[in-house]
Amino acid sequence: MSRVLLTGATGYIGSHVAVELVNAGYDVIGVDNFSNSTPKVLDGIEKIIGKRIDFMEVDCTDYNAFEKVFEQYPDIEAAIHFAAYKAVGESVAEPLKYFKNNLRSFENLVELMVTKGKGANIVFSSSATVYGQPAMDELPIKEDLPFQPASSPYARTKQIAEGILEDCVRAYTNLNGTILRYFNPIGAHPSAHIGELPNGVPNNLVPFITQTAAGIRECLSVFGNDYNTPDGSCIRDYIYVVDLAKAHVKAVDKMLQEGIRWNVFNLGTGKGLSVLELVNAFIKATGVNLNYRIADRRPGDVEQYWADPAKANAELGWSADTPIEEVLLSAWKWQQKL
Ligand code: UFG
């Protein structure tokens, strides 16, 4: 079976993808520098799949160190690039940290895949943030919606990296590229052996909800109830991380089987949920009471968007259809384990 390199393999999405790739029969080599994860994630993956994945502790911005992975594993045919910083607010305060880490690591990966890989199939982990705030008549978002100016340096790294891959696919004939644009990934593996590990106070909604329900945070702030949406709170497309992980397997399958040079997919459910709807779904699913209050809008938040996943549904034979209650229960189970 083909070998797939995962950068950021012990991160939130990387770890779930490692599990699904192994379940699908792939050989995996994971790399990470544990800048936002811990070696314990490897134990969690092992508990689920019953064996240790091949792993090397590497900082992908260090070309020479990264090159050693290809010397040790000359059979790499595909790579999925997760390794990146992802805190939007921090990226505004420290843009260079984001450009250096997120772009250098990716340039190194592309160069190594093109020159040292047995195959050069790259899946890039992108984000719906590349689209900015679409107009109402542009919803749901299709892949061909033009980008808006980036709303943060983090968003800009995603736009630039997509461009790097596109230009390189055009120039290097052995290189194939697939872009996966995630909407809002949430939840944890149903085993509760792996999940999201927020660093300090969570920025994202679901970890904040579960920490509040667990009594770690006093109260959830719902950022704004005066948006132009049915209940006034922001709307997002929340996608279960396990469904998301399965889309990566399909994307790799397709690249290896069909050799398609370039492809872009939106990965979402196709359904928008408001913050208040999500909060109520959590309470209903878990039976746990949640202390929340309406607070001011969070600067930089986009009012509403959700995906049109039709292309991924049709071409990958995939859909994200785990019920939201089940997804929120998985997040709650993981929180309790933490
Ligand atoms: N929200 C709250 N209270 C909170 C946290 C969030 O009301 O304590 C609201 C936000 O205002 C927003 C929604 O919940 O309306 C979702 O917020 P998240 O922070 O969970 O996610 P975002 O939609 O802001 O997405 C951001 C970036 C993405 C990135 C993602 C994950 O825009 O590019 O975080 O890091 F991928």
Side-chain angles (χ1 to χ4, degrees):
M1 198 64 182
S2 306
R3 184 174 296 274
V4 184
L5 165 66
L6 302 184
T7 72
T10 54
Y12 175 41
I13 299 170
S15 56
H16 289 83
V17 171
V19 167
E20 297 306 324
L21 281 171
V22 172
N23 283 344
Y26 283 101
D27 291 326
V28 163
I29 165 65
V31 301
D32 209 304
N33 64 352
F34 301 120
S35 70
N36 192 24
S37 63
T38 77
K40 284 204 176 110
V41 176
L42 295 168
D43 301 334
I45 295 171
E46 184 174 354
K47 281 188 191 134
I48 298 170
I49 60 176
K51 64 176 181 192
R52 198 84 175 164
I53 59 162
D54 290 346
F55 180 83
M56 290 173 75
E57 185 173 345
V58 168
D59 178 343
C60 300
T61 64
D62 178 344
Y63 186 90
N64 293 333
F66 200 1
E67 190 177 25
K68 293 201 170 68
V69 177
F70 289 78
E71 284 161 10
Q72 203 149 327
Y73 295 92
D75 56 346
I76 294 168
E77 287 183 58
I80 312 180
H81 188 62
F82 301 105
Y85 295 144
K86 60 173 184 180
V88 177
E90 183 188 58
S91 79
V92 176
E94 295 180 74
L96 280 174
K97 178 174 170 181
Y98 276 68
F99 294 129
K100 279 166 78 175
N101 185 61
N102 294 10
L103 298 179
R104 205 162 289 175
S105 61
F106 189 53
E107 290 160 4
N108 285 344
L109 174 72
V110 175
E111 184 169 351
L112 285 163
M113 287 296 284
V114 167
T115 58
K116 304 267 157 80
K118 182 179 170 199
N121 297 285
I122 296 182
V123 176
F124 177 67
S125 179
S126 189
S127 161
T129 195
V130 297
Y131 296 116
Q133 169 66 73
M136 278 310 283
D137 62 1
E138 292 169 332
L139 292 171
I141 300 177
K142 287 191 174 41
E143 287 82 355
D144 59 3
L145 184 68
F147 292 176
Q148 308 261 352
S151 56
S152 68
Y154 162 75
R156 200 183 295 278
T157 64
K158 293 296 179 191
Q159 292 181 343
I160 296 173
E162 286 199 15
I164 290 172
L165 187 56
E166 192 174 5
D167 285 345
C168 289
V169 165
R170 219 172 268 136
Y172 307 114
T173 49
N174 65 330
L175 178 64
N176 301 325
T178 297
I179 302 285
L180 301 181
R181 295 186 186 137
Y182 313 152
F183 282 64
N184 285 53
I186 61 167
H189 194 271
S191 66
H193 290 312
I194 53 173
E196 193 169 3
L197 286 171
N199 217 340
V201 182
N203 288 310
N204 297 119
L205 179 59
V206 169
F208 209 104
I209 288 177
T210 56
Q211 288 197 7
T212 306
I216 300 168
R217 312 275 157 213
E218 233 170 68
C219 183
L220 167 76
S221 295
V222 173
F223 296 138
N225 70 343
D226 56 354
Y227 285 100
N228 187 23
T229 59
D231 66 22
S233 63
C234 289
I235 294 177
R236 296 287 182 274
D237 185 337
Y238 296 95
I239 174 171
Y240 184 33
V241 67
V242 175
D243 289 337
L244 183 69
K246 289 178 178 160
H248 291 71
V249 177
K250 299 276 191 180
V252 170
D253 287 348
K254 192 172 179 72
M255 291 186 93
L256 293 174
Q257 286 160 18
E258 299 175 25
I260 295 174
R261 300 286 327 276
W262 179 249
N263 232 330
V264 180
F265 295 105
N266 282 344
L267 300 182
T269 65
K271 197 170 170 285
L273 273 188
S274 75
V275 175
L276 289 170
E277 283 174 326
L278 196 84
V279 165
N280 288 323
F282 179 84
I283 295 169
K284 190 173 154 222
T286 61
V288 178
N289 193 32
L290 189 70
N291 196 13
Y292 71 91
R293 66 180 183 98
I294 306 298
D296 288 345
R297 291 180 176 196
R298 183 170 70 175
D301 267 341
V302 167
E303 181 176 277
Q304 53 183 318
Y305 60 85
W306 57 95
D308 180 344
K311 182 168 183 258
N313 297 162
E315 293 181 24
L316 296 178
W318 164 92
S319 64
D321 41 26
T322 307
I324 190 71
E325 283 79 15
E326 193 178 321
V327 178
L328 292 169
L329 263 182
S330 76
W332 178 231
K333 194 171 157 193
W334 168 245
Q335 178 64 54
Q336 287 172 297
K337 175 139 185 239
L338 284 179

